[in-house]
Amino acid sequence: FVNKYAVLVFPLPTAILLMQTVTAMVLLRVAAALGFTTVPRLGKIRVWMLLPLTICYAAHAVLVLYSLAFLSVPMYNTLKRLTPVIVLVMKVGVSDGYPNTRNCCGGTPSGGCLVAGAGDLSFDGNGYSLTALCALMQATYILLAERLGSGGPLGPIELLYSICVIATVPLIVASLISGDAAAAPTLLKELHESMGYVGFMTWLVVTAVMEGLLTGMVILCTQLNSALTTSVVGVLKGVVSSVLGFFLLGGVKFHIVNVAGMAMNMAGGVWYSFAQVLKGKSAS
């Protein structure tokens, strides 16, 4: 909802992501200076090792903003539920062999994508295409984060900081080329006048901070669990925001097919969580 509202009032996606990336980098640097955490020095950042992950992260974040400009929150979340299936396919194709029962349940939430999507009466080809590509980028970057976290040298904070540092310059270039950088000052001034000082600063701070917080939590969840777990948890989060999205920020018309799709998503998430608990008990 934060990003949806951001692109509604400030339709400059690369400028939004640049603001969020720089904010996360600065806050992590301040936290390190105060002794709350540690971040690698600029000369120690493994640029080439992290470049594929950074590219996928930046592409995913920009595509999120562009997708939300075309689609409602429920329809966006419906299509993003393809992510667990993409993760499963990639895992099978790379090294993990054929999916077992626990992995297959991760695909159940995405089965609800077809059911819920059938109730979308306002089809937008651009929005659907961008969101499908967004799901692919998310699956790729959380799989890369999983592999880097499996005994790798970087923890979630160091990894997030490194991604932000590497992504900053390309995002500046993208903002200049797209024209977002030139349009941002004027639009920010108009928002300040229309929202008032308190409202504008609240919106600006929340928008700037939330992406870094969310990305950090995604990386932490992936390193502590797995890429599939992270994608399924994202599906459950999407169910909540989809329900709210029927009534907020423009909403969508209620349709029983959408409710059936959400039920399938929730059932798949619960199934996977139960399978994870059983796995933990058998391992102990």
Side-chain angles (χ1 to χ4, degrees), residues 159-260:
L159 190 55
L160 175 60
Y161 178 77
S162 299
I163 290 172
C164 290
V165 171
I166 298 170
T168 296
V169 173
L171 285 174
I172 291 175
V173 174
S175 296
L176 292 171
I177 295 175
S178 65
D180 285 5
T186 301
L187 190 51
L188 286 172
K189 182 179 179 181
E190 294 175 357
L191 286 175
H192 183 273
E193 294 173 353
S194 63
M195 292 181 175
Y197 178 78
V198 175
F200 174 76
M201 291 305 298
T202 301
W203 167 79
L204 190 64
V205 170
V206 172
T207 302
V209 170
M210 286 303 294
E211 180 64 26
L213 181 61
L214 176 61
T215 303
M217 293 173 66
V218 167
I219 293 173
L220 178 61
C221 179
T222 301
Q223 291 192 349
L224 293 179
N225 299 284
S226 70
L228 182 58
T229 300
T230 300
S231 62
V232 172
V233 169
V235 164
L236 298 180
K237 181 267 297 178
V239 170
V240 177
S241 60
S242 292
V243 173
L244 295 176
F246 275 104
F247 311 102
L248 302 176
L249 299 181
V252 293
K253 292 182 179 180
F254 177 83
H255 198 290
I256 189 62
V257 177
N258 293 101
V259 177

Side-chain angles (χ1 to χ4, degrees), residues 6-235:
V7 295
L8 285 177
V9 301
F10 190 69
L12 305 174
T14 56
I16 293 173
L17 181 56
L18 177 60
M19 175 180 65
Q20 293 171 333
T21 301
V22 172
T23 300
M25 180 175 61
V26 171
L27 290 178
L28 289 174
R29 196 71 196 179
V30 171
L34 295 175
F36 293 111
T37 187
T38 58
V39 295
R41 291 181 297 174
L42 293 180
K44 297 294 184 179
I45 293 177
R46 298 169 172 83
V47 176
W48 294 113
M49 183 180 74
L50 298 176
L51 188 59
L53 173 60
T54 303
I55 292 173
C56 292
Y57 157 75
H60 166 259
V62 170
L63 287 168
V64 167
L65 297 170
Y66 276 108
S67 300
L68 288 170
F70 288 99
L71 299 176
S72 66
V73 172
M75 286 302 99
Y76 166 79
N77 283 326
T78 296
L79 294 174
K80 276 298 291 292
R81 289 166 194 147
L82 290 170
T83 303
V85 168
I86 298 173
V87 169
L88 283 172
V89 170
M90 287 183 171
K91 277 179 167 286
V92 171
V94 175
S95 62
D96 287 356
Y98 294 100
N100 53 32
T101 302
R102 180 173 58 86
N103 288 338
C104 287
C105 65
T108 303
S110 296
C113 171
L114 300 177
V115 178
D120 185 12
L121 302 179
S122 56
F123 177 82
D124 189 301
N126 291 329
Y128 273 60
S129 299
L130 289 171
T131 307
L133 184 57
C134 181
L136 175 62
M137 290 296 101
Q138 183 183 30
T140 304
Y141 101 74
I142 61 178
L143 279 170
L144 290 171
E146 178 186 51
R147 293 187 178 279
L148 286 172
S150 301
L154 296 178
I157 298 298
E158 294 87 350
L159 190 55
L160 175 60
Y161 178 77
S162 299
I163 290 172
C164 290
V165 171
I166 298 170
T168 296
V169 173
L171 285 174
I172 291 175
V173 174
S175 296
L176 292 171
I177 295 175
S178 65
D180 285 5
T186 301
L187 190 51
L188 286 172
K189 182 179 179 181
E190 294 175 357
L191 286 175
H192 183 273
E193 294 173 353
S194 63
M195 292 181 175
Y197 178 78
V198 175
F200 174 76
M201 291 305 298
T202 301
W203 167 79
L204 190 64
V205 170
V206 172
T207 302
V209 170
M210 286 303 294
E211 180 64 26
L213 181 61
L214 176 61
T215 303
M217 293 173 66
V218 167
I219 293 173
L220 178 61
C221 179
T222 301
Q223 291 192 349
L224 293 179
N225 299 284
S226 70
L228 182 58
T229 300
T230 300
S231 62
V232 172
V233 169
V235 164

